[in-house]
Amino acid sequence: QSLKDKVPVEAAENLALMLSPFGPHMGEECWNMLGHDNSLAYHSWVEYDEELCVDSTVTMGVQVNGKVRGEIEIPKDADQDLAMEEAMKQSRVAAQLDDKDVKKIIFVQGRILNIVAK
């Protein structure tokens, strides 16, 4: 079967290269199907881009009075104000804080947001 317009050729080649240590015969077959005449054993290993491996956002738990009430997804370097803004968009968090005074906010960047309210 043809991979045209379905899978990028570069991705299929990289998959064949990564498959070859575990199933060399399968990797060679895929390599030949992709139109290569020489063995993939002599081809260089797959390069990776370290920038693509870094997460730019983080999922944090939101607690109200010590109980988990929701999760928010914010940028890794977000401050407490942005975290509170996103937390207040959560219906379960907002419901717990209705008609209550926020006494303390414990914010650990990239980890957790804990709101103490009475």
Side-chain angles (χ1 to χ4, degrees):
Q1 291 183 353
S2 174
L3 293 176
K4 286 187 178 182
D5 300 328
K6 295 180 183 175
V7 177
V9 175
E10 184 181 1
E13 288 175 344
N14 288 339
L15 179 63
L17 284 167
M18 290 185 285
L19 176 67
S20 66
F22 305 104
H25 57 286
M26 182 71 84
E28 287 289 342
E29 286 294 323
C30 292
W31 193 249
N32 286 337
M33 290 171 83
L34 292 168
H36 297 281
D37 294 329
N38 55 348
S39 174
L40 66 82
Y42 301 110
H43 195 277
S44 61
W45 188 246
V46 177
E47 296 287 325
Y48 76 100
D49 185 0
E50 195 167 331
E51 271 188 32
L52 297 175
C53 298
V54 177
D55 288 334
S56 59
T57 61
V58 64
T59 302
M60 292 177 43
V62 178
Q63 294 182 343
V64 178
N65 293 331
K67 294 184 181 166
V68 177
R69 301 295 180 183
E71 286 186 344
I72 56 174
E73 188 166 325
I74 57 175
K76 241 182 175 177
D77 58 347
D79 61 350
Q80 179 177 322
D81 294 332
L82 180 61
M84 278 297 292
E85 182 181 320
E86 290 297 317
M88 293 307 290
K89 291 179 185 176
Q90 300 284 322
S91 60
R92 291 183 62 199
V93 174
Q96 290 294 318
L97 296 177
D98 277 349
D99 301 327
K100 293 184 181 176
D101 292 330
V102 175
K103 299 293 182 184
K104 188 175 185 181
I105 298 172
I106 302 166
F107 175 71
V108 180
Q109 191 173 31
R111 300 250 177 189
I112 197 162
L113 173 65
N114 192 349
I115 305 166
V116 180
K118 290 189 178 194

